[in-house]
Amino acid sequence: MIPGKYRSVSGRATNNVNCGLHLVIQTSSLPEKNKVEFKLHKETPSFPGRLLQHDLERNYSSRQGDGRVISPSPRNKSSCISSTTNVTELCGLEMKTTTSSLSAFGDSSIQTPSKSRIRQGCHSAGPNVSGDHINLVSSSMPSFPILQRSSEEKILYSDRLTLERQKLTVCPIIDGEEHLRLLNFQHNFITRIQNISNLQRLIFLDLYDNQIEEISGLSTLRSLRVLLLGKNRIKKISNLENLKSLDVLDLHGNQISKIENVSHLCDLRVLNLARNLLSHVDNLNGLDSLTELNLRHNQITFVRDVDNLPCLQRLFLSFNNISTFESVCCLADSTSLSDITFDGNPIAQESWYKHTILQNMMQLRQLDMKRITEEERRMASVIAKKEEEKKRESQKQSLLKEKKRLTINNVARKWDLQQHRVTSIAANQDRKDSDSPSQDPGQVDGSTISAFPEETGSLDSALGNALQGLSVTDTHLVEVDGDTLSLYGSGALESLDRNWSVQTAGMVTTVSFTFIEFDEIVQVLPKLKIKFPNSLHLKFKETNLVMLQQFNALAQLRRIDQLTIDPQGNPVVSFTLWKYYVLFRLSHFSMQKINGTEVTQNDMIMAERLFGILAHVASSELPQYRLISILGDARKKQFRYLLETKGKKPGIVSEENNDSKRLVGENTNRATLNYTTRDFYNEKLEEIKEKKKFCKMYIEDLVKEATEINMKNEALQKLWPQMFIELVRDAVIEIRNKSSYMKLCLQQITDQK
Amino acid sequence: MATERAGTWLPEAGKLELGSCCGPRMLSPERLALTDYEYLAQRHVLTYMEDAVCQLLENKEDISQYGIARFFTEYFNSVCQGTHVLFREFSFIQATPHNRASFLRAFWRCFRTVGKNGDLLTMKEYHCLLQLLCPDFPLELTQKAARIVLMDDAMDCLMSFSDFLFAFQIQFYYSEFLESVAAIYQDLLSGRNPNTVIVPTSSSGQHRQRPALGEASMLEGVEASLFYQCLENLCDRHKYSCPPPALVKEVLSNVQRLTFYGFLVALSKHHGINQALGALPDKGDLMHDPAMDEELERLVVRSRLHRTSRQHRAQEPGTFGFHRRDKLEALERVPSASAPTPSPYRWEPRE
């Protein structure tokens, strides 16, 4: 409650009660700060009730609890209260309790002090009476009265002078009182501080409730410790340069809008700036001894520099305009602060107010006049921890979001680059070159992919069941958000090889591809079919869909309900016929929506009308060997894929077979319309070229052989009639002489035997 | 004259008559001047034999199952019917005039409905349609065909099906011939004697060209008669197919001067040339193919039944299906909004 230092002071004060009011000003050379000690008379009945105006102001806000001003007073009457206002109070009290009589101003009609004793404790009731015998005589200068006291008064109260409620409009010239230490001008109408420069030993100056507009005339009062200027009209803190030992400065109830010119007051312990026009708090450097700072009832929106006050213990910021903790966050850095009030600020209405303050200011003992319990502190720390966690989570989310954004940007850039390159190559009409640059990005991807599984692994574990696996690398991005699987960049297709949990895979109904060449997507479609059997909605954006025939590739999927082809990066969408072609080619899916618009029966009929003949021609007019080769390609492709992935699972294989059978059964006339990716097609063309070369040679040989035979045959045919005639003629000549020929024959037979 | 007619289409049967290849030609002096091998090559018999063997190689397992003799029968039948070019690679499609004609015919048959629907399409979209039949069809050729229909600076404009088809026919079927023509035209335009032309009266020809050049700067294009002379020469020597010179003469005799594209437009619009080529029907009958229309009607009915039965199955439970069918029927009565009216042509035909 009351800091130790003050407790000890009050303790000492109680020891000296019998000596009436005694002001001891110790200009000790103790290493600690000089102290002003007020010792109160023990029997000061007026004390609790005697609250000055500004004390009231101070207290009404603390009515709800036992305000710290009120609380000490009944319990410990003699205790010394350390706030500025209390000091003022004390002074007022002291004035009253003095038993000495007060001499009225010369012939002025001010009441005589005879009643002074009776009036004890009723400070507010009527003009105050001073115990001194004072004569105010007109001085030689017409405007200033001259004050003189009788010598006996001087001896009795040699060091104090009270001129309370004297209706003074100017400071009187005080002569022969150079030893005065305490001077009180409360409740007058003084507009200017004058004529006190000779009182160089003055320690206590009270000008409360006057009409002073400017701080001035104090430059010689080097030993002044307490300066009370509350309830005046001061607009600016100034001219305090020489008051180096000032201990208490009360400027409450003025019109000050800025804290300034106080940095030299290194001994100042109490500064009261309540009820001024401050809009913010700063310039507090150098106030090394300040323990209490009252800033109630201003319009303060933010507070700075408080962490530069090493001794500050109490700070009153009630009834200001503070709305965020950030605007007072320097308070958290103050190690000495133990008591703070924020009531009457917007910040105090916030739900997070209490625990935020408690969490950030561990050193605090009182908040808004209430002692902080351990329980409260625990609660605050729990809440704060939660909040922190939440913040961290959201930060993580936003970090991920940002990372995602960056990655997508990166992928987009890469895509653009690639597109540009591809088109420029196409412009060069150099097919062969297109292979090597298209491999380049692939290699780049390859290096980053190696880092890919680790990252996703850690993320997966971190996010747990949140179903928000987000894997980010520089070149591609894979994201599962609810029922949507989003793939950005060609590298993302690799993720289809990953082991997706059954739950995730089952939940995904929408697959979106962005910045991926459609031809690359085609290659993973069989995988997609197996890994995400429930995917019904495909989205394509920036996938380089340029030809109608590319849609043929989608026919191999299990089922598609919706198809969304973003016009961005998919020139095919600009065609008039693309929707009809999709409907025609994928008619076996009986799709519900294309690019968000419902498919009507009319659309289906139109599609059939436009392309039905194509399918008919393709199926009925294609020679059988071609049919086999085209359908065979598709089958072979599937077969090859199955071989590549897993021959282990016969279940899937058979299912696959069923699938292809069903597919064929459902639209045989369309199955011939398939799509082979450009690379694959080029490969095939190369293959065909090889075969052709061989066939050409083979046929050439055959034909040459055939023509040669033909030529020989023709030559033979030409010769044959002549040859025949010659042969016949020879035979005839031989058998012309029958008997000799017979002889010859017989001879031959006998010879043989 | 090296022009050859691979055959004519019998509209009903859609069959190719190879009669012009045999018979009287066999005994012509030309025929006797060639060796057998050369003759077979020139008649593209070798091409088909090679391709047949190639196809056999490609699917030898499958084909051996149903008989090699059967395969060859089917192959050469399909060559006669012109269905052998469907979904084949471009190098094969353009290999012989018969293949080109077959492809043109297949394109017309398959996408006649697009023209009938009245859709005007861009060059790129036509190219896509071509690619549906021939996956590696080069864009360049389509572009050239579109250039016959459209002005140079309006290549993105929409074209009607018939305009594109006839222009494409000329460009595709006579592409080598047209390249030579373009070279000749450029030479004539720049006032040079076309080096490809060996004119006996070359000096006189040059004399005639000089003034023509002066006019050319004012008028446009080249003088028709001179152009014809050069083309006649070209047709005589050209080893690729050319339009019949008599018809070229007819085209060129109608005008005094003409530009290259003017010439192409005239060629593409000439009935005689279309008939001589024999792949496509006359312009008036372009949308006419009753057999196919009948087939299409059957297909449409079938698909409608298929879909409704499917929807029935899918949406039987719940009231939603009921709603939806109502909507579908309502929409059916509304004409398709996506089909633009064919009348206002947005492109300018070249003159």
Side-chain angles (χ1 to χ4, degrees):
Chain A
M1 261 183 132
I2 296 168
K5 197 174 180 183
Y6 285 82
R7 244 183 254 271
S8 69
V9 167
S10 64
R12 220 185 295 176
T14 43
N15 293 339
N16 296 333
V17 281
N18 56 346
C19 61
L21 187 79
H22 198 135
L23 177 70
V24 179
I25 296 177
Q26 242 181 16
T27 5
S28 69
S29 56
L30 286 168
E32 52 173 343
K33 278 131 206 159
N34 299 341
K35 288 177 195 161
V36 182
E37 293 180 11
F38 301 103
K39 285 158 192 172
L40 296 187
H41 198 288
K42 198 182 181 180
E43 326 151 329
T44 46
S46 68
F47 179 52
R50 214 207 116 265
L51 290 170
L52 295 177
Q53 189 85 25
H54 51 281
D55 295 315
L56 282 171
E57 160 263 304
R58 182 162 175 168
N59 280 322
Y60 82 72
S61 64
S62 49
R63 265 176 303 188
Q64 65 270 53
D66 48 340
R68 58 167 288 287
V69 174
I70 292 167
S71 60
S73 25
R75 262 189 282 158
N76 191 0
K77 285 172 192 163
S78 56
S79 69
C80 171
I81 291 148
S82 56
S83 87
T84 316
T85 50
N86 290 335
V87 172
T88 322
E89 230 166 69
L90 296 177
C91 301
L93 184 71
E94 183 200 14
M95 297 313 150
K96 258 173 280 147
T97 47
T98 48
T99 48
S100 55
S101 65
L102 171 80
S103 64
F105 283 168
D107 37 11
S108 68
S109 60
I110 285 177
Q111 278 185 325
T112 44
S114 52
K115 286 177 192 165
S116 64
R117 268 194 199 129
I118 302 158
R119 283 241 175 91
Q120 270 183 350
C122 322
H123 166 79
S124 51
N128 202 357
V129 183
S130 149
D132 285 344
H133 222 80
I134 296 166
N135 292 319
L136 286 176
V137 186
S138 298
S139 68
S140 52
M141 275 133 80
S143 53
F144 296 116
I146 295 168
L147 180 133
Q148 281 168 341
R149 289 199 290 184
S150 62
S151 52
E152 87 192 51
E153 295 252 346
K154 269 188 200 170
I155 291 158
L156 206 56
Y157 306 108
S158 62
D159 56 353
R160 67 194 67 167
L161 176 58
T162 301
L163 292 168
E164 233 177 300
R165 297 183 197 274
Q166 301 295 326
K167 297 188 178 166
L168 295 173
T169 54
V170 292
C171 296
I173 294 167
I174 301 166
D175 234 3
E177 302 271 10
E178 285 77 16
H179 48 274
L180 261 186
R181 296 196 140 196
L182 194 149
L183 182 58
N184 184 351
F185 282 122
Q186 273 194 35
H187 303 293
N188 283 296
F189 305 98
I190 296 165
T191 54
R192 202 177 147 89
I193 308 169
Q194 284 166 314
N195 305 325
I196 54 169
S197 53
N198 53 335
L199 308 174
Q200 287 183 9
R201 300 176 69 184
L202 206 61
I203 286 172
F204 187 107
L205 177 59
D206 186 355
L207 285 159
Y208 173 72
D209 194 14
N210 278 287
Q211 291 169 13
I212 295 160
E213 290 179 357
E214 192 196 10
I215 304 172
S216 61
L218 301 171
S219 55
T220 54
L221 308 179
R222 286 172 191 280
S223 42
L224 199 65
R225 292 291 184 86
V226 180
L227 178 59
L228 307 178
L229 288 165
K231 216 176 171 197
N232 276 290
R233 298 171 184 175
I234 297 163
K235 293 191 169 61
K236 194 171 179 252
I237 305 173
S238 59
N239 297 323
L240 298 172
E241 283 75 20
N242 293 330
L243 308 183
K244 293 220 169 73
S245 5
L246 213 55
D247 195 85
V248 175
L249 177 59
D250 179 13
L251 288 164
H252 84 272
N254 281 290
Q255 295 151 30
I256 295 162
S257 59
K258 198 177 160 195
I259 300 175
E260 57 189 338
N261 303 322
V262 292
S263 58
H264 57 285
L265 301 173
C266 58
D267 285 339
L268 193 69
R269 280 191 301 141
V270 177
L271 176 61
N272 186 353
L273 284 163
R275 291 191 190 273
N276 274 290
L277 305 172
L278 296 174
S279 64
H280 60 272
V281 179
D282 57 1
N283 278 334
L284 293 174
N285 291 336
L287 297 172
D288 290 341
S289 309
L290 199 67
T291 55
E292 175 172 320
L293 179 58
N294 188 346
L295 296 163
R296 295 157 50 94
H297 289 285
N298 279 285
Q299 290 125 40
I300 294 164
T301 54
F302 65 87
V303 177
R304 279 195 213 129
D305 282 356
V306 171
D307 47 326
N308 293 329
L309 302 173
C311 297
L312 188 71
Q313 292 176 333
R314 286 170 302 282
L315 175 63
F316 306 106
L317 283 163
S318 310
F319 301 99
N320 276 292
N321 202 15
I322 295 161
S323 54
T324 64
F325 182 73
E326 281 68 42
S327 54
V328 293
C329 61
C330 64
L331 301 181
D333 299 329
S334 167
T335 50
S336 52
L337 209 58
S338 66
D339 189 352
I340 198 160
T341 67
F342 281 116
D343 52 315
N345 280 288
I347 191 176
Q349 305 295 319
E350 304 284 352
S351 58
W352 45 262
Y353 160 69
K354 196 161 183 179
H355 68 252
T356 309
I357 299 287
L358 292 189
Q359 188 56 30
N360 284 288
M361 301 169 72
M362 293 303 285
Q363 71 282 21
L364 224 54
R365 291 195 203 163
Q366 270 197 34
L367 174 64
D368 293 335
M369 303 295 182
K370 277 185 242 165
R371 182 181 272 282
I372 295 159
T373 64
E374 276 309 302
E375 185 59 30
E376 275 174 324
R377 212 177 271 288
R378 249 200 315 279
M379 282 286 288
S381 79
V382 167
I383 292 169
K385 228 175 258 170
K386 268 186 204 158
E387 207 114 300
E388 183 103 331
E389 240 161 64
K390 221 188 279 173
K391 212 197 231 167
R392 216 180 298 147
E393 186 61 30
S394 77
Q395 209 169 0
K396 201 156 114 190
Q397 288 299 324
S398 66
L399 200 79
L400 282 178
K401 225 179 255 175
E402 175 66 12
K403 208 169 172 189
K404 176 179 157 188
R405 196 185 63 77
L406 282 177
T407 310
I408 291 173
N409 275 353
N410 194 20
V411 172
R413 207 168 37 243
K414 208 159 204 175
W415 170 257
D416 284 344
L417 219 76
Q418 202 178 326
Q419 290 309 299
H420 189 70
R421 209 189 298 176
V422 166
T423 52
S424 70
I425 284 161
N428 291 340
Q429 291 289 329
D430 206 346
R431 268 271 163 80
K432 276 181 187 168
D433 273 9
S434 76
D435 288 340
S436 53
S438 70
Q439 269 167 7
D440 264 5
Q443 277 160 3
V444 173
D445 284 2
S447 64
T448 50
I449 282 161
S450 59
F452 178 76
E454 298 155 54
E455 190 163 349
T456 51
S458 66
L459 268 170
D460 273 351
S461 61
L463 292 172
N465 294 329
L467 274 176
Q468 270 221 320
L470 184 74
S471 41
V472 182
T473 60
D474 282 338
T475 51
H476 57 265
L477 181 103
V478 182
E479 186 190 18
V480 180
D481 185 10
D483 61 351
T484 308
L485 169 72
S486 309
L487 305 170
Y488 297 88
S490 62
L493 295 176
E494 305 270 331
S495 69
L496 290 174
D497 288 332
R498 264 160 48 186
N499 286 324
W500 293 87
S501 74
V502 180
Q503 200 192 1
T504 313
M507 258 174 73
V508 170
T509 57
T510 305
V511 182
S512 111
F513 301 93
T514 314
F515 302 119
I516 310 174
E517 199 78 35
F518 186 79
D519 281 6
E520 290 179 55
I521 297 170
V522 169
Q523 284 160 23
V524 301
L525 284 178
K527 286 184 212 170
L528 186 75
K529 187 169 146 186
I530 290 173
K531 299 263 175 161
F532 297 98
N534 293 338
S535 54
L536 297 174
H537 184 181
L538 294 186
K539 288 181 178 176
F540 296 92
K541 187 177 178 185
E542 296 276 12
T543 50
N544 236 350
L545 262 166
V546 288
M547 292 178 290
L548 295 178
Q549 54 164 335
Q550 287 176 308
F551 290 114
N552 293 349
L554 299 179
Q556 57 174 302
L557 287 170
R558 204 181 299 267
R559 200 175 152 204
I560 303 176
D561 266 3
Q562 278 195 54
L563 190 66
T564 306
I565 314 284
D566 198 303
Q568 208 179 324
N570 292 316
V572 78
V573 178
S574 63
F575 293 164
T576 356
L577 298 175
W578 79 272
K579 261 188 203 179
Y580 295 118
Y581 187 75
V582 169
L583 286 175
F584 154 73
R585 185 62 190 89
L586 307 178
S587 65
H588 57 292
F589 294 141
S590 38
M591 283 203 284
Q592 307 294 316
K593 277 183 179 178
I594 293 184
N595 272 15
T597 46
E598 200 92 11
V599 173
T600 66
Q601 173 131 23
N602 247 13
D603 291 335
M604 292 302 291
I605 287 167
M606 190 54 156
E608 197 62 34
R609 277 197 189 288
L610 285 172
F611 295 104
I613 286 182
L614 174 68
H616 176 70
V617 165
S619 62
S620 66
E621 299 192 355
L622 210 60
Q624 204 185 342
Y625 70 93
R626 288 284 298 146
L627 215 59
I628 286 172
S629 99
I630 289 173
L631 293 178
D633 268 358
R635 237 185 303 152
K636 256 183 255 165
K637 239 187 289 170
Q638 263 172 0
F639 188 63
R640 196 203 280 183
Y641 165 71
L642 286 171
L643 278 185
E644 272 173 12
T645 47
K646 42 198 114 179
K648 296 172 204 166
K649 291 185 182 173
I652 289 174
V653 176
S654 66
E655 197 181 308
E656 195 63 22
N657 283 344
N658 288 342
D659 239 34
S660 61
K661 260 181 223 158
R662 200 191 61 202
L663 190 129
V664 172
E666 246 174 29
N667 60 342
T668 19
N669 63 349
R670 259 143 251 217
T672 44
L673 297 171
N674 53 27
Y675 175 65
T676 38
T677 61
R678 196 139 286 287
D679 292 344
F680 193 71
Y681 192 77
N682 287 338
E683 218 172 273
K684 208 173 118 193
L685 285 182
E686 284 296 310
E687 219 174 277
I688 288 173
K689 219 187 250 172
E690 286 296 304
K691 276 186 188 150
K692 250 189 186 157
K693 220 173 174 183
F694 167 76
C695 291
K696 197 177 166 133
M697 265 162 57
Y698 177 69
I699 292 290
E700 202 179 299
D701 287 351
L702 272 185
V703 168
K704 272 195 177 140
E705 210 175 301
T707 51
E708 228 163 78
I709 290 167
N710 188 36
M711 218 159 68
K712 284 174 188 164
N713 194 25
E714 266 179 32
L716 182 68
Q717 290 296 334
K718 242 184 242 168
L719 282 174
W720 179 242
Q722 189 61 37
M723 270 169 72
F724 187 72
I725 290 167
E726 297 280 320
L727 283 173
V728 169
R729 202 188 64 179
D730 283 358
V732 167
I733 287 169
E734 204 177 0
I735 61 169
R736 198 171 44 186
N737 191 343
K738 249 184 208 168
S739 54
S740 61
Y741 183 65
M742 257 158 70
K743 253 184 209 163
L744 192 69
C745 288
L746 282 171
Q747 183 67 42
Q748 275 171 354
I749 293 166
T750 48
D751 283 356
Q752 273 173 7
K753 283 177 182 175
Chain B
M1 197 176 72
T3 329
E4 58 190 345
R5 290 181 54 187
T8 51
W9 297 97
L10 298 176
E12 283 83 20
K15 279 202 171 182
L16 182 71
E17 194 188 39
L18 285 165
S20 57
C21 291
C22 44
R25 286 275 183 117
M26 197 80 113
L27 301 174
S28 70
E30 237 181 293
R31 154 78 184 89
L32 294 177
L34 297 169
T35 65
D36 292 342
Y37 185 81
E38 282 167 344
Y39 176 76
L40 289 175
Q42 197 206 28
R43 298 284 120 186
H44 304 292
V45 178
L46 289 183
T47 314
Y48 292 116
M49 283 166 73
E50 279 165 22
D51 188 57
V53 174
C54 213
Q55 294 293 317
L56 180 61
L57 269 183
E58 199 139 309
N59 310 290
K60 51 184 173 224
E61 294 96 351
D62 293 315
I63 288 169
S64 59
Q65 275 173 20
Y66 74 92
I68 289 177
R70 182 76 218 139
F71 162 72
F72 277 112
T73 315
E74 250 180 37
Y75 181 82
F76 287 106
N77 263 339
S78 75
V79 170
C80 286
Q81 285 164 5
T83 54
H84 63 303
V85 289
L86 289 171
F87 312 116
R88 290 296 303 270
E89 63 275 7
F90 180 71
S91 61
F92 179 69
I93 282 170
Q94 63 144 21
T96 71
H98 172 60
N99 285 2
R100 293 186 192 193
S102 301
F103 183 74
L104 282 168
R105 191 164 170 80
F107 181 72
W108 166 70
R109 272 156 54 89
C110 288
F111 299 113
R112 181 180 56 93
T113 43
V114 172
K116 207 172 172 185
N117 191 39
D119 286 334
L120 303 178
L121 307 180
T122 59
M123 181 271 289
K124 280 194 177 144
E125 200 157 3
Y126 282 118
H127 181 67
C128 265
L129 295 181
L130 287 168
Q131 282 189 320
L132 284 175
L133 291 179
C134 166
D136 62 339
F137 201 89
L139 182 65
E140 199 193 358
L141 213 52
T142 322
Q143 271 172 337
K144 279 182 176 168
R147 207 164 284 147
I148 298 176
V149 182
L150 303 170
M151 305 293 283
D152 266 332
D153 54 352
M155 285 301 281
D156 289 333
C157 279
L158 301 168
M159 293 173 272
S160 77
F161 183 72
S162 69
D163 279 311
F164 175 77
L165 184 62
F166 285 115
F168 175 70
Q169 168 173 253
I170 295 297
Q171 182 62 53
F172 178 54
Y173 196 83
Y174 297 122
S175 64
E176 291 86 1
F177 169 73
L178 291 188
E179 253 164 60
S180 309
V181 172
I184 290 170
Y185 177 80
Q186 279 307 319
D187 282 346
L188 283 179
L189 205 61
S190 59
R192 259 181 296 140
N193 188 24
N195 49 9
T196 49
V197 188
I198 307 135
V199 190
T201 54
S202 63
S203 55
S204 68
Q206 264 183 334
H207 279 304
R208 264 188 289 152
Q209 268 168 357
R210 300 280 179 203
L213 178 69
E215 281 169 62
S217 54
M218 291 181 291
L219 296 167
E220 208 188 358
V222 294
E223 204 182 314
S225 57
L226 177 66
F227 191 43
Y228 174 66
Q229 242 181 11
C230 301
L231 293 190
E232 197 181 20
N233 232 305
L234 177 71
C235 287
D236 277 346
R237 291 174 305 105
H238 209 267
K239 60 179 178 191
Y240 297 101
S241 31
C242 311
L247 295 176
V248 175
K249 189 171 186 179
E250 198 186 312
V251 166
L252 291 173
S253 61
N254 294 336
V255 285
Q256 274 291 303
R257 314 183 57 80
L258 83 173
T259 61
F260 178 63
Y261 281 110
F263 175 62
L264 295 189
V265 169
L267 276 186
S268 70
K269 292 195 167 162
H270 198 276
H271 290 288
I273 287 174
N274 184 35
Q275 272 168 2
L277 217 148
L280 304 175
D282 285 344
K283 190 167 181 177
D285 296 331
L286 198 61
M287 300 308 165
H288 195 64
D289 192 355
M292 269 301 168
D293 281 344
E294 216 171 278
E295 186 63 40
L296 183 62
E297 277 315 310
R298 257 202 354 256
L299 286 171
V300 167
V301 168
R302 211 172 61 193
S303 85
R304 193 192 303 224
L305 284 175
H306 181 64
R307 183 165 171 90
T308 43
S309 74
R310 226 169 218 257
Q311 270 172 3
H312 223 71
R313 237 187 305 138
Q315 298 178 351
E316 212 149 33
T319 52
F320 178 69
F322 184 64
H323 270 286
R324 188 179 154 91
R325 251 202 319 282
D326 275 359
K327 201 168 85 186
L328 281 172
E329 270 159 24
L331 279 168
E332 226 170 303
R333 275 174 235 123
V334 182
S336 170
S338 65
T341 47
S343 40
Y345 286 80
R346 269 195 270 161
W347 47 271
E348 280 179 63
R350 208 184 287 273
E351 282 306 314

